[in-house]
Amino acid sequence: MKHLNQLILFAVALLLCALPVRAQLYLDTKAPIEQRVEDALSRMTLAEKIAVIHAQSKFSSPGVARLGIPGIWCTDGPHGIRAEVKWDEWDQAGWTNDSCIAFPALTCLAATWNTDMSLLYGKSIGEEALYRNKQVLLGPGVNIYRSPLNGRNFEYMGEDPYLSATMVVPYIQGVQQNGVATCVKHFALNNQEDGRHVVNANVSDRALYEIYLPAFKAAVQEGQSWSIMGAYNRIWGQYACHNHRLLVDILRGEWGFDGAVISDWGGVSNTDEAIRNGLDLEFGSWTDGLTEGRSNSYDMYYLALPYLKKIQSGEVGTKELDDKVRNVLRLIFRTSMNPNKGFGSLCSDAHIAAARQIAGEGIVLLKNDPVGKKKTAQPVLPIAQDKKTILVVGENAIKQMTVGGGSSSLKAKYEISPLQGIRERAAQAGAEVRYVRGYVGDIGGEYNGVTTGQDLRDNRTPDELTAEAVAAAREADIVLFIGGLNKADHQDAEGYDRLQYALPYGQDELISALAKANSNLAVVILSGNAYAMPWLKQVPALVQAWFNGSETGHALADVLFGDVNPSGHLPFTIMPELEDYPAHQYGAQAYPGVNNEVEYKEDLFVGYRYADLYGQKKVLNYESSGKTYSINPPKRKPLFAFGHGLSYTTFSMSKATLDGNTLRVRIRNTGTRAGKQVVQLYVAPQKPVVARPVKELKAFRKVSLQPGEEQEVVFELGEQMFQYFDADAHQWVTGKGAYKLMVGTAADAIQSVTSYSLL
Ligand code: BGC
């Protein structure tokens, strides 16, 4: 009997050995990704599944250690790779190898109007992320520029859905070709920082689809972003991070998104909604666990133990959990377990060159008039050879700007200040540079433990500083005022909106005083937002120079001295006063909201869509999604229109010719320098059956031309250029009838108009 038992055991063992072991398909990098996902999912325990859908530290979520599946490391985003923080704190981890190249802010990228620059940006920052072992880059941001007070506009791509949609796609492709995911943010309607954690955005479906969603849609469908970040705010009364309509109906249902939805840090507040409404990965929640100091506060996350308990008690099933895990696994297979990814690089010469090139191409020359009335009078810029004493005035000429502003703050390997860039270049030209402070603004230089090391204290009074600047200006051949906003709270920073449209720290008075002291004055503004310009008529030259990262000073000097011919164009409209912006026409209800309710009363008429109503006699009244909208035409024209940007050369444009659906226009460099021009196509419905903007940007091309060179730009007309969103039918409708096709170099510089009829 004993022998028989042993024999049976032996036979069973033999049989087991003979059975094929299930292949570890999830490790087979040649297998289709969906098969790998299903295989990995089938091997995971319930606890492992719960673990992978929420954070384990400030910026990471766990993988499945038992199965050799790595976790996910995220990083801000979107202008460089953030320094390492401690496991569970925002403070610095104290690494010495985590500096990066700071690339220009996304407003600057948008201002290049050049998709090649987007691709270069994405490729470069993606390489930095990869080298730093990050799988998810928290960016780019594509929230629409609704109000110039929004403190985070510098992280976004301007006011126009077509421009931002077009510019975001190559950025994503560039990043993801490295096997690093982008996380497009903040989905959606995160258009102000004021009250961002509670505000409920009320917007018509039409404005949602036509203005606020197109860049996200392009990011998902054309860019194929592997992840997306939910916003902090509420929409239709429900938080964006677990908003059923936004994440389930639109993102996955209508757009077919197969990536991971990641919460903004602390954007989750409800387990049931987080389970059901399409969120996959929870980060940054501030739970009881953190204040109570439990052993692992991450267990207290909404998608951690609270979710597990609901499953164990039978209150909810595991279908949603499996879907979330699938989305997270797909993200892992696309990134850390992606067989095609390389190794990346950090602070390479190529990245430095890219940062300088993008910055140089995004800087916008807003104004450049000749000085004096003589026929031979020359514009202030580029700085002429005979200008041997250059005075630089202003705090932004010296202030390190890569530190501050919120989560996009960086520990840059270096930052060339405007003054340093100008000094280096002036030395080559044999010119002498003198610097005076002019005003004292923000002397802080610290963010989460990263410090600039600058001591910007100066106890002199504004009068003393102005007097010094004016006296020095009288002595100089040319004066460069370098000011604007900075990354301090309430200037251009996350978490706070600006409190005023005017430039802070008495800069307006100082600029006027400088203009009186020396007519050879160029004003250079570093900011991510528009601002009032009461001094505009007194100032012959004005440059919009953004926040340009590590290569700020070099790129600025390139443009000021004419080594780079400026070709940036505004991604937003600059109106004279705050009340000239449509969101500021309707009192607190429209901005910043009353009782945390914000009504987007201007509806479609954001930016140039509003400015274009200038001169119309009647109020525009119409119905949309059951609401009545009433748009009062603006009282003033823009100071600088959307799409505006000057060059040191001149261009001429032929009249456009239409052949079927092909529109052709010839553009010629009529000056003496090589330069680039942005040819913009706007489509203007003539007698629309519903209220529509006067015109909308539908295509653009940046053209590079040698002196005397001419090129043809060809636009193929497509149905989507003539569509509007019918909210009641919930579909895009092609508006038949008469149109004007307007080709120009800015929203207010249309040079050719062609009639077109859509039958
Ligand atoms: C910001 C995000 C950022 C995240 C992580 C949040 O406060 O809104 O844009 O990516 O923090 O730092």
Side-chain angles (χ1 to χ4, degrees):
M1 188 65 185
K2 193 176 159 212
H3 285 300
L4 189 66
N5 276 350
Q6 274 177 348
L7 213 64
I8 292 172
L9 273 178
F10 184 66
V12 169
L14 258 185
L15 209 67
L16 280 178
C17 288
L19 278 177
V21 175
R22 191 151 65 105
Q24 288 176 302
L25 201 57
Y26 72 97
L27 290 176
D28 178 357
T29 53
K30 294 208 177 64
I33 215 163
E34 293 311 312
Q35 288 180 21
R36 297 175 71 193
V37 166
E38 291 306 321
D39 182 54
L41 182 73
S42 71
R43 295 167 190 272
M44 290 168 69
T45 66
L46 180 60
E48 285 168 343
K49 289 180 182 177
I50 290 286
V52 299
I53 60 166
H54 65 273
Q56 62 174 356
S57 77
K58 272 274 171 276
F59 282 103
S60 75
S61 59
V64 192
R66 183 178 61 85
L67 298 177
I69 296 176
I72 293 172
W73 282 86
C74 304
T75 178
D76 285 300
H79 306 144
I81 309 306
R82 188 174 175 158
E84 303 295 334
V85 299
K86 288 182 180 160
W87 188 255
D88 200 14
E89 288 163 52
W90 294 109
D91 285 349
Q92 296 307 292
W95 293 19
T96 53
N97 60 351
D98 58 348
S99 312
C100 65
I101 291 301
F103 294 93
L106 290 192
T107 33
C108 175
L109 176 62
T112 68
W113 291 61
N114 185 344
T115 48
D116 292 345
M117 291 301 103
S118 267
L119 187 65
L120 176 66
Y121 195 126
K123 177 180 175 289
S124 312
I125 195 172
E127 284 168 357
E128 299 237 330
L130 185 60
Y131 190 82
R132 291 266 308 276
N133 286 319
K134 306 300 177 196
Q135 283 77 49
V136 178
L137 178 72
L138 303 176
V142 286
N143 293 101
I144 289 292
Y145 191 112
R146 178 175 181 249
S147 158
L149 299 189
N150 180 7
R152 284 189 98 169
N153 277 338
F154 72 99
E155 291 185 65
Y156 303 141
M157 298 206 193
E159 72 183 30
D160 184 67
Y162 181 79
L163 176 65
S164 48
T166 307
M167 294 301 287
V168 77
V169 169
Y171 180 116
I172 293 168
Q173 292 165 338
V175 171
Q176 293 193 164
Q177 75 190 26
N178 291 291
V180 171
T182 50
C183 186
V184 182
K185 64 194 190 183
H186 305 90
F187 190 54
L189 298 170
N190 186 183
N191 303 110
Q192 63 187 63
E193 290 299 285
D194 203 294
R196 67 173 172 162
H197 292 283
V198 284
V199 114
N200 185 34
N202 295 288
V203 65
S204 75
D205 269 16
R206 222 187 131 188
L208 181 72
Y209 277 78
E210 290 188 23
I211 307 289
Y212 295 99
L213 291 186
F216 288 104
K217 184 179 178 192
V220 166
Q221 293 193 326
E222 293 166 52
Q224 309 249 305
S225 182
W226 292 331
S227 68
I228 194 165
M229 185 189 289
Y232 280 134
N233 49 283
R234 292 177 296 145
I235 306 161
W236 311 293
Q238 192 169 48
Y239 275 102
C241 283
H242 27 80
N243 190 294
H244 192 277
R245 181 157 178 229
L246 203 58
L247 302 178
V248 180
D249 298 346
I250 297 176
L251 179 65
R252 295 210 189 267
E254 293 178 18
W255 301 348
F257 180 63
D258 73 352
V261 177
I262 299 181
S263 74
D264 199 345
W265 269 231
V268 185
S269 53
N270 183 311
T271 297
D272 287 322
E273 288 187 2
I275 293 171
R276 281 186 270 107
N277 297 352
L279 178 71
D280 298 311
L281 250 173
E282 178 186 4
F283 271 94
S285 298
W286 186 257
T287 63
D288 283 352
L290 288 169
T291 47
E292 289 172 12
R294 307 241 177 111
S295 58
N296 181 4
S297 50
Y298 295 93
D299 288 344
M300 308 303 289
Y301 271 35
Y302 295 92
L303 286 184
L305 290 183
Y307 190 8
L308 184 64
K309 280 184 194 146
K310 279 179 190 281
I311 292 174
Q312 284 167 338
S313 71
E315 188 187 329
V316 297
T318 53
K319 184 193 166 300
E320 294 89 352
L321 177 64
D322 283 348
D323 282 345
K324 291 177 201 303
V325 176
R326 281 190 183 97
N327 294 333
V328 172
L329 286 171
R330 204 174 289 121
L331 182 62
I332 295 173
F333 290 133
R334 284 169 165 166
T335 56
S336 52
M337 293 179 83
N338 178 341
N340 302 320
K341 75 173 168 38
F343 303 97
S345 52
L346 193 63
C347 303
S348 66
D349 292 345
H351 296 173
I352 293 167
R356 184 170 182 165
Q357 192 186 354
I358 296 162
E361 194 152 336
I363 290 173
V364 185
L365 181 64
L366 289 173
K367 180 175 179 183
N368 195 22
D369 286 351
V371 180
K373 296 214 166 63
K374 284 191 202 146
K375 270 207 167 145
T376 52
Q378 290 296 311
V380 184
L381 297 174
I383 298 169
Q385 288 286 337
D386 64 347
K387 302 285 184 273
K388 291 301 174 203
T389 55
I390 300 173
L391 176 71
V392 175
V393 186
E395 185 173 281
N396 281 356
I398 55 169
K399 185 173 170 60
Q400 300 284 292
M401 217 79 88
T402 54
V403 174
S407 57
S408 62
S409 179
L410 294 170
K411 180 171 155 187
K413 187 172 180 201
Y414 68 89
E415 180 179 337
I416 306 292
S417 70
L419 182 61
Q420 191 181 340
I422 290 164
R423 280 222 158 105
E424 281 175 20
R425 183 58 181 79
Q428 287 170 29
E432 189 197 319
V433 177
R434 188 173 167 211
Y435 173 73
V436 296
R437 182 77 172 261
Y439 69 92
V440 177
D442 171 62
I443 59 166
E446 190 269 343
Y447 186 81
N448 282 166
V450 177
T451 51
T452 61
Q454 287 189 298
D455 181 359
L456 294 177
R457 281 172 302 178
D458 191 325
N459 293 327
R460 287 174 293 169
T461 64
D463 283 350
E464 286 168 334
L465 291 162
T466 305
E468 180 193 45
V470 166
R474 290 201 183 104
E475 303 295 309
D477 290 339
I478 182 170
V479 180
L480 305 173
F481 172 80
I482 302 184
L485 304 174
N486 53 47
K487 305 279 191 70
D489 297 349
H490 298 297
Q491 297 306 327
D492 268 340
E494 179 181 341
Y496 307 89
D497 279 351
R498 294 165 67 199
L499 300 173
Q500 56 177 30
Y501 187 52
L503 290 176
Y505 319 127
Q507 292 178 77
D508 287 343
E509 294 74 19
L510 178 61
I511 293 170
S512 288
L514 290 172
K516 280 180 203 139
N518 192 326
S519 52
N520 271 301
L521 169 67
V523 169
V524 177
I525 299 292
L526 274 53
S527 77
N529 257 317
Y531 39 87
M533 303 175 182
W535 32 258
L536 186 59
K537 286 206 175 91
Q538 293 172 271
V539 167
L542 176 61
V543 177
Q544 178 59 35
W546 316 114
F547 297 118
N548 278 343
S550 290
E551 286 290 305
T552 294
H554 286 150
L556 181 61
D558 288 343
V559 168
L560 295 178
F561 286 87
D563 303 333
V564 165
N565 192 348
S567 66
H569 286 241
L570 282 178
F572 52 73
T573 311
I574 303 184
M575 297 300 278
E577 305 285 342
L578 186 62
E579 65 256 27
D580 298 325
Y581 283 90
H584 295 274
Q585 295 278 312
Y586 303 91
Q589 267 206 321
Y591 175 91
V594 175
N595 297 329
N596 299 324
E597 296 290 329
V598 177
E599 306 280 340
Y600 285 40
K601 286 175 169 266
E602 75 286 6
D603 200 38
L604 308 169
F605 295 89
V606 176
Y608 68 88
R609 287 168 171 76
Y610 179 64
D612 275 352
L613 298 178
Y614 176 79
Q616 299 209 356
K617 299 258 161 5
K618 281 198 253 145
V619 176
L620 177 65
N621 291 311
Y622 63 96
E623 303 270 321
S624 178
S625 309
K627 277 196 180 163
T628 305
Y629 289 87
S630 190
I631 316 289
N632 250 316
K635 293 194 201 79
R636 287 172 279 247
K637 281 193 210 171
L639 293 178
F640 296 105
F642 172 78
H644 170 79
L646 302 175
S647 165
Y648 296 148
T649 188
T650 47
F651 300 94
S652 70
M653 201 186 275
S654 71
K655 190 165 168 19
T657 55
L658 186 64
D659 180 6
N661 284 330
T662 307
L663 187 73
R664 292 194 166 83
V665 67
R666 297 193 72 81
I667 173 104
R668 184 182 180 81
N669 183 343
T670 51
T672 51
R673 278 170 188 264
K676 294 180 183 173
Q677 180 60 292
V678 179
V679 184
Q680 306 166 27
L681 169 64
Y682 295 86
V683 169
Q686 293 309 290
K687 285 206 175 85
V689 289
V690 296
R692 292 181 75 172
V694 173
K695 67 177 186 294
E696 295 184 282
L697 181 73
K698 293 295 172 185
F700 64 85
R701 209 86 78 235
K702 194 160 200 182
V703 189
S704 178
L705 295 167
Q706 293 301 316
E709 191 188 343
E710 185 173 292
Q711 266 186 44
E712 185 178 67
V713 173
V714 180
F715 294 115
E716 289 300 334
L717 304 181
E719 210 179 321
Q720 74 286 356
M721 292 180 173
F722 304 94
Q723 290 181 329
Y724 63 90
F725 191 74
D726 179 338
D728 297 328
H730 196 75
Q731 64 184 23
W732 290 94
V733 174
T734 307
K736 306 269 188 240
Y739 284 87
K740 296 262 189 257
L741 306 173
M742 302 179 159
V743 184
T745 53
D748 69 346
I750 300 303
Q751 293 172 30
S752 168
V753 179
T754 312
S755 297
Y756 180 73
S757 183
L758 196 68
L759 303 171

mmCIF file of all heavy atoms in Angstrom, residues 58 75 94 107 116 119 191 210 217 223 238 290 329 366 368 444 468 472 526 576 614 622 629 637 683 751:
data_model
loop_
_atom_site.group_PDB
_atom_site.id
_atom_site.type_symbol
_atom_site.label_atom_id
_atom_site.label_comp_id
_atom_site.label_asym_id
_atom_site.label_seq_id
_atom_site.Cartn_x
_atom_site.Cartn_y
_atom_site.Cartn_z
ATOM 1 N N LYS A 58 5.389 60.753 -3.519
ATOM 2 C CA LYS A 58 4.918 61.993 -4.139
ATOM 3 C C LYS A 58 4.764 61.859 -5.661
ATOM 4 O O LYS A 58 3.829 62.363 -6.242
ATOM 5 C CB LYS A 58 5.912 63.128 -3.856
ATOM 6 C CG LYS A 58 5.626 63.859 -2.563
ATOM 7 C CD LYS A 58 4.605 64.965 -2.759
ATOM 8 C CE LYS A 58 4.150 65.559 -1.446
ATOM 9 N NZ LYS A 58 3.064 64.799 -0.815
ATOM 10 N N THR A 75 7.155 63.068 -13.554
ATOM 11 C CA THR A 75 7.915 64.288 -13.278
ATOM 12 C C THR A 75 7.236 65.496 -13.907
ATOM 13 O O THR A 75 6.717 65.410 -15.016
ATOM 14 C CB THR A 75 9.352 64.193 -13.823
ATOM 15 O OG1 THR A 75 10.017 65.439 -13.547
ATOM 16 C CG2 THR A 75 9.409 63.946 -15.320
ATOM 17 N N GLY A 94 17.919 66.341 -2.288
ATOM 18 C CA GLY A 94 19.326 66.680 -2.110
ATOM 19 C C GLY A 94 20.259 65.967 -3.077
ATOM 20 O O GLY A 94 21.448 65.834 -2.813
ATOM 21 N N THR A 107 4.158 79.177 -23.617
ATOM 22 C CA THR A 107 3.673 80.351 -24.368
ATOM 23 C C THR A 107 4.676 80.707 -25.459
ATOM 24 O O THR A 107 4.298 81.097 -26.556
ATOM 25 C CB THR A 107 3.536 81.599 -23.464
ATOM 26 O OG1 THR A 107 4.540 81.563 -22.468
ATOM 27 C CG2 THR A 107 2.169 81.705 -22.859
ATOM 28 N N ASP A 116 7.921 72.373 -36.225
ATOM 29 C CA ASP A 116 9.265 71.771 -36.092
ATOM 30 C C ASP A 116 9.848 72.076 -34.716
ATOM 31 O O ASP A 116 10.571 71.277 -34.135
ATOM 32 C CB ASP A 116 10.232 72.311 -37.152
ATOM 33 C CG ASP A 116 9.854 71.860 -38.552
ATOM 34 O OD1 ASP A 116 9.035 70.930 -38.664
ATOM 35 O OD2 ASP A 116 10.354 72.472 -39.513
ATOM 36 N N LEU A 119 8.286 69.730 -32.180
ATOM 37 C CA LEU A 119 8.861 68.387 -32.230
ATOM 38 C C LEU A 119 10.238 68.371 -31.564
ATOM 39 O O LEU A 119 10.567 67.475 -30.777
ATOM 40 C CB LEU A 119 8.965 67.919 -33.692
ATOM 41 C CG LEU A 119 9.393 66.479 -33.903
ATOM 42 C CD1 LEU A 119 8.351 65.516 -33.351
ATOM 43 C CD2 LEU A 119 9.609 66.188 -35.398
ATOM 44 N N ASN A 191 -9.179 77.108 -16.262
ATOM 45 C CA ASN A 191 -8.808 78.375 -16.886
ATOM 46 C C ASN A 191 -8.471 79.481 -15.908
ATOM 47 O O ASN A 191 -8.301 80.631 -16.289
ATOM 48 C CB ASN A 191 -9.922 78.833 -17.832
ATOM 49 C CG ASN A 191 -10.228 77.788 -18.876
ATOM 50 O OD1 ASN A 191 -11.281 77.170 -18.856
ATOM 51 N ND2 ASN A 191 -9.279 77.543 -19.755
ATOM 52 N N GLU A 210 -15.933 73.739 -29.239
ATOM 53 C CA GLU A 210 -15.248 74.560 -30.248
ATOM 54 C C GLU A 210 -13.991 75.242 -29.712
ATOM 55 O O GLU A 210 -13.054 75.489 -30.453
ATOM 56 C CB GLU A 210 -16.205 75.633 -30.790
ATOM 57 C CG GLU A 210 -17.303 75.044 -31.654
ATOM 58 C CD GLU A 210 -18.149 76.103 -32.360
ATOM 59 O OE1 GLU A 210 -17.682 77.244 -32.547
ATOM 60 O OE2 GLU A 210 -19.295 75.775 -32.723
ATOM 61 N N LYS A 217 -8.373 67.074 -27.643
ATOM 62 C CA LYS A 217 -8.768 66.045 -28.608
ATOM 63 C C LYS A 217 -7.608 65.726 -29.565
ATOM 64 O O LYS A 217 -7.309 64.563 -29.840
ATOM 65 C CB LYS A 217 -9.992 66.528 -29.393
ATOM 66 C CG LYS A 217 -10.539 65.500 -30.341
ATOM 67 C CD LYS A 217 -11.763 66.040 -31.054
ATOM 68 C CE LYS A 217 -12.287 65.024 -32.036
ATOM 69 N NZ LYS A 217 -13.275 65.584 -32.949
ATOM 70 N N GLY A 223 -1.917 63.191 -31.489
ATOM 71 C CA GLY A 223 -0.659 63.012 -30.750
ATOM 72 C C GLY A 223 -0.581 61.645 -30.099
ATOM 73 O O GLY A 223 0.490 61.140 -29.835
ATOM 74 N N GLN A 238 -19.353 68.361 -10.983
ATOM 75 C CA GLN A 238 -18.603 67.159 -10.585
ATOM 76 C C GLN A 238 -17.105 67.389 -10.836
ATOM 77 O O GLN A 238 -16.729 67.964 -11.862
ATOM 78 C CB GLN A 238 -19.086 65.977 -11.430
ATOM 79 C CG GLN A 238 -18.611 64.631 -10.952
ATOM 80 C CD GLN A 238 -19.342 63.508 -11.686
ATOM 81 O OE1 GLN A 238 -19.444 63.522 -12.907
ATOM 82 N NE2 GLN A 238 -19.829 62.527 -10.941
ATOM 83 N N LEU A 290 -2.312 61.127 6.155
ATOM 84 C CA LEU A 290 -1.163 62.021 6.220
ATOM 85 C C LEU A 290 -1.152 62.814 7.519
ATOM 86 O O LEU A 290 -0.120 62.989 8.142
ATOM 87 C CB LEU A 290 -1.184 62.975 5.020
ATOM 88 C CG LEU A 290 -0.847 62.303 3.696
ATOM 89 C CD1 LEU A 290 -1.144 63.243 2.548
ATOM 90 C CD2 LEU A 290 0.614 61.894 3.652
ATOM 91 N N LEU A 329 -1.262 49.225 -16.901
ATOM 92 C CA LEU A 329 -0.297 48.280 -17.490
ATOM 93 C C LEU A 329 0.105 48.735 -18.896
ATOM 94 O O LEU A 329 1.285 48.690 -19.272
ATOM 95 C CB LEU A 329 -0.902 46.871 -17.563
ATOM 96 C CG LEU A 329 -1.013 46.122 -16.230
ATOM 97 C CD1 LEU A 329 -1.827 44.833 -16.416
ATOM 98 C CD2 LEU A 329 0.369 45.772 -15.659
ATOM 99 N N LEU A 366 7.097 93.200 -30.976
ATOM 100 C CA LEU A 366 5.745 93.765 -31.070
ATOM 101 C C LEU A 366 5.745 95.105 -31.787
ATOM 102 O O LEU A 366 4.821 95.433 -32.525
ATOM 103 C CB LEU A 366 5.160 93.932 -29.659
ATOM 104 C CG LEU A 366 4.775 92.638 -28.929
ATOM 105 C CD1 LEU A 366 4.384 92.929 -27.483
ATOM 106 C CD2 LEU A 366 3.645 91.919 -29.643
ATOM 107 N N ASN A 368 8.530 98.290 -33.479
ATOM 108 C CA ASN A 368 9.917 98.677 -33.765
ATOM 109 C C ASN A 368 9.925 99.882 -34.696
ATOM 110 O O ASN A 368 10.186 99.762 -35.880
ATOM 111 C CB ASN A 368 10.673 97.494 -34.389
ATOM 112 C CG ASN A 368 12.171 97.685 -34.369
ATOM 113 O OD1 ASN A 368 12.694 98.457 -33.563
ATOM 114 N ND2 ASN A 368 12.873 96.984 -35.253
ATOM 115 N N GLY A 444 12.550 87.105 -3.759
ATOM 116 C CA GLY A 444 12.568 85.684 -3.394
ATOM 117 C C GLY A 444 13.303 84.899 -4.466
ATOM 118 O O GLY A 444 13.399 85.316 -5.600
ATOM 119 N N GLU A 468 18.391 107.268 -10.395
ATOM 120 C CA GLU A 468 19.630 106.663 -10.889
ATOM 121 C C GLU A 468 19.454 106.191 -12.334
ATOM 122 O O GLU A 468 20.315 106.406 -13.198
ATOM 123 C CB GLU A 468 20.017 105.474 -9.995
ATOM 124 C CG GLU A 468 21.293 104.803 -10.459
ATOM 125 C CD GLU A 468 21.531 103.448 -9.804
ATOM 126 O OE1 GLU A 468 20.583 102.649 -9.720
ATOM 127 O OE2 GLU A 468 22.668 103.180 -9.406
ATOM 128 N N ALA A 472 21.335 107.659 -15.717
ATOM 129 C CA ALA A 472 22.148 106.753 -16.537
ATOM 130 C C ALA A 472 21.608 106.693 -17.962
ATOM 131 O O ALA A 472 22.378 106.615 -18.935
ATOM 132 C CB ALA A 472 22.156 105.356 -15.917
ATOM 133 N N LEU A 526 9.422 90.214 -19.941
ATOM 134 C CA LEU A 526 9.417 88.784 -19.671
ATOM 135 C C LEU A 526 8.118 88.487 -18.924
ATOM 136 O O LEU A 526 7.899 89.016 -17.828
ATOM 137 C CB LEU A 526 10.624 88.395 -18.795
ATOM 138 C CG LEU A 526 11.942 88.084 -19.511
ATOM 139 C CD1 LEU A 526 12.354 89.190 -20.449
ATOM 140 C CD2 LEU A 526 13.047 87.799 -18.519
ATOM 141 N N PRO A 576 -6.137 96.704 -24.459
ATOM 142 C CA PRO A 576 -5.612 97.822 -23.654
ATOM 143 C C PRO A 576 -5.883 97.671 -22.163
ATOM 144 O O PRO A 576 -4.995 97.905 -21.351
ATOM 145 C CB PRO A 576 -6.343 99.040 -24.215
ATOM 146 C CG PRO A 576 -6.876 98.633 -25.539
ATOM 147 C CD PRO A 576 -7.069 97.158 -25.510
ATOM 148 N N TYR A 614 -15.174 94.343 -32.666
ATOM 149 C CA TYR A 614 -14.979 95.794 -32.531
ATOM 150 C C TYR A 614 -15.620 96.505 -33.738
ATOM 151 O O TYR A 614 -15.441 96.087 -34.879
ATOM 152 C CB TYR A 614 -13.484 96.126 -32.472
ATOM 153 C CG TYR A 614 -13.216 97.602 -32.440
ATOM 154 C CD1 TYR A 614 -13.366 98.317 -31.263
ATOM 155 C CD2 TYR A 614 -12.854 98.280 -33.602
ATOM 156 C CE1 TYR A 614 -13.148 99.686 -31.238
ATOM 157 C CE2 TYR A 614 -12.622 99.647 -33.580
ATOM 158 C CZ TYR A 614 -12.776 100.340 -32.395
ATOM 159 O OH TYR A 614 -12.568 101.697 -32.377
ATOM 160 N N TYR A 622 -27.779 85.654 -28.755
ATOM 161 C CA TYR A 622 -28.136 84.358 -29.350
ATOM 162 C C TYR A 622 -28.375 83.324 -28.252
ATOM 163 O O TYR A 622 -28.004 83.526 -27.096
ATOM 164 C CB TYR A 622 -27.055 83.882 -30.321
ATOM 165 C CG TYR A 622 -25.708 83.625 -29.667
ATOM 166 C CD1 TYR A 622 -25.341 82.333 -29.257
ATOM 167 C CD2 TYR A 622 -24.805 84.661 -29.462
ATOM 168 C CE1 TYR A 622 -24.122 82.103 -28.657
ATOM 169 C CE2 TYR A 622 -23.580 84.431 -28.859
ATOM 170 C CZ TYR A 622 -23.242 83.143 -28.461
ATOM 171 O OH TYR A 622 -22.036 82.916 -27.856
ATOM 172 N N TYR A 629 -27.147 84.202 -24.721
ATOM 173 C CA TYR A 629 -25.854 84.889 -24.612
ATOM 174 C C TYR A 629 -25.986 86.277 -25.203
ATOM 175 O O TYR A 629 -26.686 86.488 -26.193
ATOM 176 C CB TYR A 629 -24.760 84.093 -25.334
ATOM 177 C CG TYR A 629 -24.436 82.832 -24.569
ATOM 178 C CD1 TYR A 629 -25.180 81.670 -24.796
ATOM 179 C CD2 TYR A 629 -23.461 82.825 -23.590
ATOM 180 C CE1 TYR A 629 -24.928 80.523 -24.062
ATOM 181 C CE2 TYR A 629 -23.207 81.683 -22.854
ATOM 182 C CZ TYR A 629 -23.946 80.535 -23.091
ATOM 183 O OH TYR A 629 -23.706 79.408 -22.354
ATOM 184 N N LYS A 637 -9.921 98.559 -29.670
ATOM 185 C CA LYS A 637 -9.218 97.552 -30.475
ATOM 186 C C LYS A 637 -8.076 96.974 -29.652
ATOM 187 O O LYS A 637 -7.620 97.608 -28.703
ATOM 188 C CB LYS A 637 -8.582 98.233 -31.677
ATOM 189 C CG LYS A 637 -9.484 98.548 -32.787
ATOM 190 C CD LYS A 637 -8.562 98.912 -33.946
ATOM 191 C CE LYS A 637 -9.249 99.904 -34.832
ATOM 192 N NZ LYS A 637 -8.408 100.466 -35.838
ATOM 193 N N VAL A 683 -10.950 81.651 -41.666
ATOM 194 C CA VAL A 683 -12.168 81.385 -42.429
ATOM 195 C C VAL A 683 -13.309 82.188 -41.814
ATOM 196 O O VAL A 683 -13.533 82.127 -40.599
ATOM 197 C CB VAL A 683 -12.463 79.869 -42.418
ATOM 198 C CG1 VAL A 683 -13.851 79.587 -42.964
ATOM 199 C CG2 VAL A 683 -11.402 79.131 -43.237
ATOM 200 N N GLN A 751 -4.310 90.225 -45.609
ATOM 201 C CA GLN A 751 -3.780 90.835 -46.831
ATOM 202 C C GLN A 751 -4.452 90.355 -48.096
ATOM 203 O O GLN A 751 -4.257 90.917 -49.167
ATOM 204 C CB GLN A 751 -2.268 90.599 -46.881
ATOM 205 C CG GLN A 751 -1.605 91.385 -45.750
ATOM 206 C CD GLN A 751 -0.138 91.084 -45.588
ATOM 207 O OE1 GLN A 751 0.538 90.766 -46.548
ATOM 208 N NE2 GLN A 751 0.340 91.193 -44.370
#
